[in-house]
Amino acid sequence: MIRTVVGVLGAVTALFPDEIVDLFENLAIANPREGTVRGWVRPAIRSEGVLIAAISLFDGRAYAWLMNLTGVFGAVVLLFPDLYRKFATAFLYERPESIEWNERFRSGIRAIGALYVFLAAKTYRDRHTDT
């Protein structure tokens, strides 16, 4: 079930990278029209979505690795939301100093991190109880 959801989210991300960026900015950034996303971000989001969708088609080592990586990323985001915001701002925007985060999104970042950790732990448990 989780693999299907992850695959669908990957496909949606691959098909609609502009909408994904707009949604993220509208939720997370206080001044979404102030910043300019670096030119490589949208193609990278599309590529990531294709990769996630493809990996999710098969339940093997690649999917296990993907979910483990998701769990690690989720733990970092859950425990260090301000570090994530600082890194994401510098990494994704041409003028990071112009970006102002919505303070209420700090809880959203933590919720996303917790969800990623949960999904990774569940798939890990499911993988190891099946054998």
Side-chain angles (χ1 to χ4, degrees):
M1 169 71 175
I2 291 174
R3 190 164 49 94
T4 303
V5 170
V6 169
V8 168
L9 288 175
V12 167
T13 301
L15 293 171
F16 306 105
D18 295 335
E19 289 80 0
I20 296 296
V21 170
D22 290 345
L23 176 64
F24 173 79
E25 287 185 327
N26 287 328
L27 293 173
I29 307 296
N31 57 342
R33 301 299 166 236
E34 288 293 315
T36 303
V37 177
R38 296 183 191 271
W40 57 264
V41 171
R42 285 178 173 85
I45 289 172
R46 183 179 305 261
S47 298
E48 178 187 25
V50 168
L51 183 64
I52 289 170
I55 288 173
S56 296
L57 291 173
F58 307 100
D59 191 18
R61 285 183 181 236
Y63 180 72
W65 179 85
L66 172 69
M67 293 311 294
N68 290 339
L69 184 62
T70 298
V72 169
F73 178 76
V76 170
V77 169
L78 174 64
L79 297 173
F80 308 105
D82 294 330
L83 179 63
Y84 166 76
R85 292 191 314 184
K86 185 176 182 178
F87 175 78
T89 303
F91 191 64
L92 299 175
Y93 289 94
E94 289 182 7
R95 291 183 13 253
E97 68 280 355
S98 68
I99 302 301
E100 295 177 37
W101 287 81
N102 284 331
E103 278 307 311
R104 70 180 188 274
F105 192 67
R106 186 170 197 248
S107 299
I109 292 170
R110 284 206 158 137
I112 291 167
L115 177 63
Y116 282 11
V117 169
F118 170 76
L119 292 174
K122 175 142 179 36
T123 56
Y124 180 85
R125 190 188 83 210
D126 291 349
R127 222 173 31 249
H128 286 83
T129 56
D130 288 344
T131 56

